[in-house]
Every structure is written in structure tokens, then in C-alpha cells.
Amino acid sequence: MTRGSASPAHDHARVTDEPGWGEPHEPRYRPIESYGLIGDLRTAALVGRDGAIDWFCPGRFDAPSLFAAVLDAGIGGSFRVAPVVPCPSKQLYLPDTAILLTRFFTPAGVAEVTDFMPVGAEPCALVRRVDVVRGSVDFRMACRPGFDYARRSHRVALDDPRTARFTADGGRVTELSSRHPMEVDGTAATARFRLAAGESTWFVLHPAGAAGAWRDASVADALAATRDFWRRWLAHSHYDGRWREMVQRSAITLKLCTYAPTGAMVAAPTCSLPEAIGGNRNWDYRYAWLRDSAFTAFAFQRLGFDDEAQRFAGWLEERCRETDPGDPRLQIVYAVDGGRDLTERELPHLEGYRGSAPVRIGNGAHGQLQLDVYGELMDAVYLSNKVEPISWDLWTSLRRLLDWLADNWQQPDEGIWEVRGGRRHFVYSRLMCWVAFERAMRMQSQRGLPGDTARWRSVRDRIYEEIMERGWSEERQSFVQYYDGTVLDASNLLMPLVKFIGPRDPRMLATLDATQRDLVSDSLVYRYDPQTASDDGLGRTAEGSFSLCSFWLVECLTRAGRLEEARLVFEKMLTYANGIGLFAEQVGDSGESLGNFPQAFTHLGLISAAWDLDRALGGEG
């Protein structure tokens, strides 16, 4: 469906936005950082400080959206519960959980909306409890879905005053149960109600057929069970150093990005939030990148969450088992169930966040060659092997993969940043090929595993010498983005972190200085400069700074012994989190969040930097 052929229901939605709201002072789009995240380890939802759920894909991260107002405020669909009068609001998480409280401060009283998704519930559910803690407050509720990225129209009916049934074209049905009577307003279910101090009500969104399961007692039980789940899980953390609260919030956020049925980890629970407002760098991150998953598994393992790392190893073994023995290559990214078809499509009927088009689903990077992923995988397996020895079947698959890499490491590729301007001999890709062979040799030595060690050692050494010869620029006095070039790239900050080079080696110190001079603005680090240097195939369009790179900078400074500088950069980066500790992928010129949100890459970088810096400052990590 194109914008011009929108159904009458969608035309109505675009005009009125939300039933009962639409005050002229309200922006059509909320800042990305104004959202909190809830989830059930299968999918997740964004909840705004205004009480609106503007992103939700039922059942699975990459399922078609039910609410997508964050990508089109008119037709995307939203579920809002908030006071009638405009008022200030704040958000917080129930301590040590993923249960989100949005607090509203009205002239007549103080109210809370508690949002959560019960973990492991069948069928899945999204629960919203409304409480007034002081005075009395008048509320409005409006739930208008936008089935299948707003491509399917729907109708609403009340089975009874407390159960609304949304039926999409094609037959999909979603229900909304409520303690309070509802009405139908066009394509929305709505309600108006007043609560006094000590009174509460609730709304539960769920698949059809579960309405009878929700009562006052079941909502209370689900809230208690969800709270206990998160606190039990977080108790496994070994981290007791500085910035513990931010580290724990990052760990919970990474867990929310985990798909429990398979152990896969998505890069972010959202799609097409822009890296620059009005730009075209809008990607779908609801998939399991091998690179991101490997880094995430490492972050979990550092904190003591070994089960998550082991589940990733199991997921990886399944992907290896699916490959052709004659061609053991892995895709760089998969669906959370291991699916390989991530065909990229544009949705022209959606206007995009603040007009940032195109909106994309799927991800064309699944067909790219990115040789660095094999190093990140081998590093993750190497670390996992320290806790639980890897299986013979996984080692056999990895050995075939290493033999293939020994034949192909010299190929140009698209690199860590997934450029679309053609393949190059990226230094970071070569670096991680070196890591792949170096970690394989360590495991082979430690456990006496069979492998072509002589060949691996020869390739490893050739890669090392080649990086030093062609990846170093005498002109820039720095390691560079690709062979024989002069473009800087923040990914080279990982060189000492993967033990390729000493953190105080003159070449590394010079690279650190060059990076700070050309790619760093205060604490913010740009991954490269697409406007003046590197053609990534997307035009000379600007983007924000890349927050993961800022945390790499912290680790580099830490290992170089520049602790005061490292700590200041780290503390400044913490100020770019939103009020409840969540980070997007990037930071804009005004300190605003850009890109998909929250971003696993950023949170795993925070964990690693905090762990390293705390230990260097004399903590126990």
C-alpha cells in the first residue's frame, strides 16, 4: 500500500493522530531518548514518557509491527495511557528489573503507569497498570493498532465492555482486556476514567482468546513474577565495581535484546530510526549479527552470565551445522530463529521518524562479505571454551572455517561498518582475521585439539606483517581504514584490546593521538568521516558520533595508562544516556540520540569499558 492508497481508517488516523489527544503543543514525534524499553526475551516495546507505546512487534523482534508511531505518527499505530491534562512526567525502572514506571505530575495529583511484559508467559502479553498515589487524576486511554507496519486496515469490536477485539484484514486478531469499560472510536478502543489515591486499573494487550485469564489477581501475580525473574537473573552478576548501577542497567538491556527460544541476540529491538534526521541511513537492526552477538556474549561472560555465552555458542554451532562442508562460510547476520532470508525492503507508505525516509525492513547486509566476523567469533568461542570446553562438532566446523579463511583472508570485503560503496582491504578486517588464527592456536595448544597449526601460524604471521606494512600510514602517523590509504577509522582502537599490539607501543600511541585529533569531539568519537574522506556508498551525508567507539576510546586510554583522561571521557559519556540509563547507537550535534534504540553495541561497550577502567583504578571489577 502506498501513501496515496491508504485505507479510510488510515486517513482518519493521520488527521486525528490519537483519539482525545492532539493538543497543538504536542510534537508529532518524541525524541528517541524519551523512550524506555520493556520486553519478554522474545520481543520488546518502546514506552514514551508521555505514556504512549509507539513501537511493538508482537511475539518476535522481527515480526510485523502492531504499533509503529515512532516511524509514522499518523498511521503507524500507538497505545497511550496518560492524564487528560498536559503535565510533566518522568520514568524509572523498578530497581534491578525491566519493569518501567512512568510517573505523571498533574495539578490534581500524582499517577503512575507501570509497563511490563511477563517473561515466559503463554500467550505473550503486554501489561499496563495505572495507579494514583496522590490526589485524583483523570485519564484517557487510546489503543489504535497499525497491523503489519500499517499495511493492513482493521476493525474494532467490543466483545463486552471490558474486552476490545481488533481484527486485521487477513484475519489476525489482537485483544485488549481492561478492568475499566471501553468504547470504540473509529479504529481505536478508548476509555476515560478517574482514579483517586490508592485506586488502580489495568489494560492487557494479548493474542485472541486469553481475555478471561486476566483479573486483578493475575495482573498482580504477573507483576510479582516478572519482578522476581529479573532480580534472580541479575543476582548472577559478579560485578561490584564503580558505576554498578549503569553496568547493571546495561546488562538488563542486553538481556532484553536476547531471543530466549534460541539464544540469539539482536543488535537492537527497533528498525529504521535514523542516524541523521532526514537522512537515508535507516536500517533494520532486529537481527542477530555474528559480530554483535560475539561481543555481547563477551560482555555477559565478563559479568558472570555464563549461561548467555554458552547459549550463543550453541546457536553458533547450529549455524555451522547448516553450512555446506565444501563451503563453510557463515552469513554475517541471521534472523533470531536462524533464518537466512533477510531481504531488504522499503516501506514507502511510512514517512519515517521525523521524515527520515526510506523506512526499511530486512537488511541487505546479510549478503555482504565481512571477514572480521570470523575473528570475533573465534574470540568469543575462545573465551567460552575457558568456562565450558567446546564440543568436538563445533571445533570440526570451526576448523573447516579456518581452512577456508586461510585461503580467502586476502579478499577485499565490506568491513565492520557494512559500507555499500564497494569492497576494500579494510585494516580492521585483516586485524580480526589475525585474531581468528591466533585464538584458534591458543585453543589448539590448551586442549590438544587437532588442526593445521603450521599453516595457521604462517597465515597469522603474514597478516601481522602486512598490517604493519600496508595498514600504517607514515603520512598520518596512524593505522588507517584500509590498505595504502590515509583515512582514519575508530575501529583501529580495538588493536590493543584484542592483544594485536601493546597499548603503549609507539604506533598505537600515535594512532590514539591521531584518532583523538581527527575523530573525537570532546568525549564523542566518530567512526570515520563520510563527508570528507571515506565513500561508504551512501553519499556524503552526515551521521552522529558512534557511542561504541567512545567506549573503545576509554579502554584504549585506560590501557595506555591515561586513567584520568579515560575516567573523564567515560563519565561524560554517561551523560548521553537518557534518564533511565539507555543509549542509542549514535549521538547528534545537540546531544540527542540517533539511530536504533537502545543499541546493544553501545551497552556492551559501556560494560567492557567500566570493567577495564574500574580494575585499573584499583577496583575488583
Side-chain angles (χ1 to χ4, degrees):
M1 183 186 71
T2 65
R3 186 181 300 277
S5 62
S7 69
H10 287 164
D11 287 339
H12 174 72
R14 193 176 292 284
V15 172
T16 62
D17 196 7
E18 295 168 339
W21 277 283
E23 289 85 350
H25 68 276
E26 288 195 345
R28 295 187 73 240
Y29 291 95
R30 294 90 183 170
I32 292 172
E33 62 269 20
S34 71
Y35 289 97
L37 185 73
I38 59 173
D40 63 357
L41 310 187
R42 288 176 290 187
T43 189
L46 293 185
V47 185
R49 284 200 300 264
D50 62 347
I53 295 178
D54 288 339
W55 178 256
F56 176 56
C57 301
R60 204 170 103 166
F61 291 107
D62 56 349
S65 65
L66 187 66
F67 304 125
V70 73
L71 297 179
D72 193 306
I75 66 172
S78 184
F79 179 11
R80 186 173 178 184
V81 181
V84 169
V85 298
C87 62
S89 62
K90 297 181 180 180
Q91 287 185 323
L92 72 153
Y93 280 107
L94 198 64
D96 299 340
T97 76
I99 299 170
L100 183 67
L101 276 66
T102 305
R103 309 195 77 214
F104 297 95
F105 303 89
T106 78
V110 178
E112 296 178 346
V113 176
T114 302
D115 288 299
F116 66 97
M117 296 178 67
V119 177
E122 291 294 347
C124 62
L126 194 160
V127 184
R128 315 198 72 182
R129 196 182 76 177
V130 187
D131 295 90
V132 170
V133 296
R134 299 188 67 181
S136 64
V137 179
D138 291 322
F139 283 90
R140 302 171 185 166
M141 183 282 297
C143 179
R144 177 188 284 114
F147 285 90
D148 189 19
Y149 308 106
R151 290 183 293 190
R152 297 181 185 274
S153 59
H154 68 275
R155 58 190 182 277
V156 189
L158 296 181
D159 290 355
D160 61 65
R162 291 176 171 79
T163 305
R165 176 183 292 263
F166 303 93
T167 304
D169 289 351
R172 181 174 176 178
V173 179
T174 295
E175 292 181 344
L176 178 64
S177 297
S178 171
R179 191 176 188 270
H180 196 278
M182 295 179 284
E183 298 178 346
V184 173
D185 181 356
T187 56
T190 65
R192 288 174 175 261
F193 53 94
R194 173 179 292 179
L195 298 177
E199 295 179 336
S200 67
T201 191
W202 48 262
F203 302 90
V204 181
L205 193 74
H206 52 77
W214 292 101
R215 297 288 186 269
D216 289 357
S218 54
V219 169
D221 290 346
L223 178 60
T226 304
R227 178 200 62 206
D228 293 346
F229 167 84
W230 285 106
R231 290 180 176 171
R232 284 196 306 269
W233 179 79
L234 193 60
H236 289 89
S237 173
H238 297 166
Y239 187 83
D240 198 27
R242 298 168 179 83
W243 313 290
R244 182 170 179 263
E245 185 174 346
M246 288 297 292
V247 168
Q248 289 187 332
R249 179 53 51 197
S250 289
I252 291 173
T253 303
L254 292 182
K255 183 67 171 175
L256 282 170
C257 291
T258 301
Y259 184 66
T262 63
M265 305 168 190
V266 297
T270 59
C271 78
S272 277
L273 292 179
E275 297 174 12
I277 301 302
N280 63 349
R281 299 170 184 268
N282 317 315
W283 313 112
D284 191 345
Y285 277 12
R286 298 171 298 158
Y287 304 111
W289 269 260
L290 297 183
R291 176 191 306 110
D292 300 48
S293 298
F295 280 144
T296 302
F298 174 50
F300 274 136
Q301 196 165 358
R302 268 194 158 175
L303 298 181
F305 298 109
D306 294 332
D307 286 349
E308 282 68 21
Q310 293 304 314
R311 292 219 60 199
F312 168 67
W315 183 82
L316 173 61
E317 186 169 348
E318 290 182 17
R319 304 290 77 75
C320 290
R321 192 180 300 122
E322 295 166 354
T323 61
D324 182 341
D327 184 6
R329 287 177 297 174
L330 297 168
Q331 277 192 187
I332 65 164
V333 55
Y334 294 84
V336 290
D337 64 352
R340 300 171 64 92
D341 183 7
L342 307 183
T343 301
E344 188 173 293
R345 300 179 177 89
E346 295 184 0
L347 302 180
H349 67 287
L350 297 179
E351 68 182 13
Y353 177 80
R354 291 177 57 187
S356 303
V359 171
R360 296 183 178 95
I361 57 174
N363 200 300
H366 76 279
Q368 288 190 349
L369 177 66
Q370 297 175 23
L371 294 172
D372 66 282
V373 298
Y374 301 116
E376 287 128 5
L377 282 181
M378 289 303 302
D379 199 33
V381 172
Y382 165 72
L383 294 168
S384 177
N385 181 68
K386 290 183 175 182
V387 178
E388 179 70 29
I390 65 171
S391 69
W392 167 249
D393 288 339
L394 179 55
W395 175 252
T396 300
S397 296
L398 293 176
R399 188 170 59 174
R400 287 199 301 266
L401 194 57
L402 288 162
D403 289 340
W404 176 89
L405 190 60
D407 291 331
N408 291 276
W409 65 270
Q410 291 179 307
Q411 290 190 46
D413 69 347
E414 278 88 2
I416 182 175
W417 306 129
E418 302 183 348
V419 299
R420 300 193 178 195
R423 295 180 177 180
R424 291 184 180 272
H425 295 281
F426 287 105
V427 172
Y428 179 78
S429 296
R430 295 293 188 271
L431 168 70
M432 297 312 292
C433 287
W434 175 89
V435 169
F437 293 110
E438 200 276 338
R439 301 303 191 264
M441 291 172 59
R442 288 194 189 194
M443 282 193 291
Q444 194 275 339
S445 175
Q446 291 167 357
R447 294 192 51 204
L449 297 167
D452 194 348
T453 311
R455 188 185 186 203
W456 296 348
R457 179 180 292 108
S458 174
V459 171
R460 181 200 65 178
D461 293 348
R462 285 171 58 200
I463 295 172
Y464 198 105
E465 292 182 351
E466 190 173 279
I467 290 174
M468 287 300 184
E469 179 182 348
R470 300 184 61 191
W472 169 262
S473 169
E474 286 292 335
E475 175 187 341
R476 299 300 302 273
Q477 283 295 291
S478 175
F479 290 106
V480 289
Q481 186 179 64
Y482 49 83
Y483 279 177
D484 307 321
T486 57
V487 178
L488 300 189
D489 193 305
S491 63
N492 289 326
L493 294 173
L494 273 174
M495 285 184 166
L497 309 188
V498 298
K499 304 185 187 303
F500 175 81
I501 191 172
R504 304 187 193 192
D505 184 284
R507 287 195 173 191
M508 192 61 230
L509 292 176
T511 299
L512 179 56
D513 290 341
T515 301
Q516 288 186 289
R517 182 179 61 249
D518 288 5
L519 297 180
V520 178
S521 174
D522 195 36
S523 65
L524 300 174
V525 182
Y526 295 86
R527 50 184 179 171
Y528 55 86
D529 186 351
Q531 289 189 321
T532 62
S534 179
D535 180 9
D536 57 11
L538 295 166
R540 303 293 185 177
T541 57
E543 64 174 8
S545 63
F546 209 78
S547 295
L548 172 63
C549 298
S550 293
F551 290 118
W552 286 345
L553 174 62
V554 172
E555 288 198 73
C556 263
L557 291 169
T558 298
R559 298 191 187 201
R562 294 156 62 171
L563 298 185
E564 184 174 348
E565 190 177 353
R567 183 166 188 172
L568 182 58
V569 171
F570 186 81
E571 295 280 5
K572 284 184 174 182
M573 280 305 300
L574 297 186
T575 69
Y576 290 106
N578 72 0
I580 50 176
L582 303 183
F583 285 89
E585 180 180 42
Q586 301 184 17
V587 177
D589 290 343
S590 300
E592 74 276 17
S593 293
L594 293 172
N596 285 303
F597 179 85
Q599 176 80 359
F601 243 174
T602 307
H603 284 279
L604 65 89
L606 184 154
I607 290 171
S608 188
W611 194 93
D612 243 18
L613 182 55
D614 179 71
R615 185 175 61 170
L617 291 170
E620 296 181 1

